[in-house]
Amino acid sequence: MSKLSELICQYCAHRNTGADSRCGHCGAPLRAVAHAVETVVEETPAKLAKVAKVAEKLGADAEKIVGGGYPRWQWRAVGVAILVLIVLAIVVARSCSVSLPSLSSLPGGMGMPEQITPEPLRSAAACQPLDSSGKSEKCVIAANHPMLFGGIAGGRELTFYAEHAQPDRLADAISRWRAAGGTTLVDGPVYVAIGPSATVWYADTRAGLKLETGTFAGKTGAQTFLSRAGLVR
């Protein structure tokens, strides 16, 4: 089919540019579009024939392995069934995925700080490792970030330290915080307290996460931060 004929409307014979998909005169699809549909229709029988050949070969192979004694049409049916199962297996493999639990939810608090820090806090901060192990980080939240809206950090950027700590280190930290005379808000598998100088102390013994923040403008600001950061609900 020539390019010239493809630019002519199949209904009103109006000439159109090569960039048009529909006739500018009557709105009908151009020949190029119709030709594409016809091509698909014409190619379908050939593709079905190829599928049939594959199914017949699978049936023949099955007949050789098992042996004769059954009509050939039954072996062809077996080939079709095998082919269908293969196609279904491919479709299922592509459409389904197994989602593994996050490292922070696994027993023993597996994972680095970036994997066990709550997402609201993680996305608000810029962090850098403090050592080669990658288990301790220094993080900074910019003064103009919405996390600190309302001047809860006194108009300054906020620094906090995140650590993936072993149970004994977490227990030592919690004991030290209790002795420092802060205000305990949560005391259990998760320990949350506000220090005398309006700092936040946080320890999750299940995930192995330990957090210590800089100074807030006051106790109310520290409590607001805990809520915004997803550390308490």
Side-chain angles (χ1 to χ4, degrees):
M1 183 180 292
S2 66
K3 291 185 178 179
L4 181 62
S5 64
E6 290 179 348
L7 298 176
I8 299 175
C9 176
Q10 57 184 321
Y11 292 105
C12 68
H14 182 270
R15 293 182 180 277
N16 297 266
T17 65
D20 294 331
S21 61
R22 288 187 171 275
C23 177
H25 180 68
C26 68
L30 297 180
R31 290 186 183 275
V33 178
H35 177 67
V37 175
E38 292 171 0
T39 301
V40 173
V41 174
E42 291 173 357
E43 290 180 353
T44 300
K47 292 181 179 180
L48 290 176
K50 290 181 180 179
V51 172
K53 288 182 179 180
V54 173
E56 185 173 1
K57 184 178 184 304
L58 289 173
D61 292 341
E63 183 178 9
K64 290 179 181 178
I65 295 173
V66 178
Y70 296 94
R72 182 167 295 277
W73 68 267
Q74 290 187 0
W75 289 115
R76 290 179 179 176
V78 170
V80 172
I82 295 173
L83 184 60
V84 169
L85 289 176
I86 293 173
V87 172
L88 287 176
I90 295 173
V91 171
V92 171
R94 290 184 176 180
S95 63
C96 298
S97 60
V98 178
S99 59
L100 297 176
S102 62
L103 293 178
S104 62
S105 67
L106 296 177
M110 296 175 63
M112 295 303 168
E114 69 272 13
Q115 297 166 320
I116 57 181
T117 303
E119 175 57 28
L121 182 56
R122 168 59 51 181
S123 60
C127 301
Q128 59 182 13
L130 291 177
D131 53 40
S132 59
S133 70
K135 294 189 176 183
S136 298
E137 290 184 335
K138 177 183 178 181
C139 302
V140 177
I141 301 176
N144 61 349
H145 194 279
M147 180 74 72
L148 305 179
F149 179 76
I152 64 173
R156 304 178 302 272
E157 65 181 20
L158 178 73
T159 300
F160 68 88
Y161 296 87
E163 179 184 356
H164 172 228
Q166 296 300 319
D168 57 340
R169 284 184 58 82
L170 287 174
D172 290 342
I174 293 172
S175 297
R176 175 166 46 85
W177 292 339
R178 286 195 180 109
T183 302
T184 300
L185 302 179
V186 181
D187 195 350
V190 175
Y191 179 86
V192 184
I194 298 176
S197 57
T199 58
V200 164
W201 300 330
Y202 178 93
D204 186 342
T205 59
R206 300 165 302 183
L209 176 62
K210 174 176 168 283
L211 285 173
E212 293 188 71
T213 73
T215 303
F216 288 90
K219 180 178 178 181
T220 301
Q223 289 177 319
T224 301
F225 170 80
L226 284 167
S227 178
R228 291 177 181 174
L231 296 173
V232 296
R233 292 183 176 83

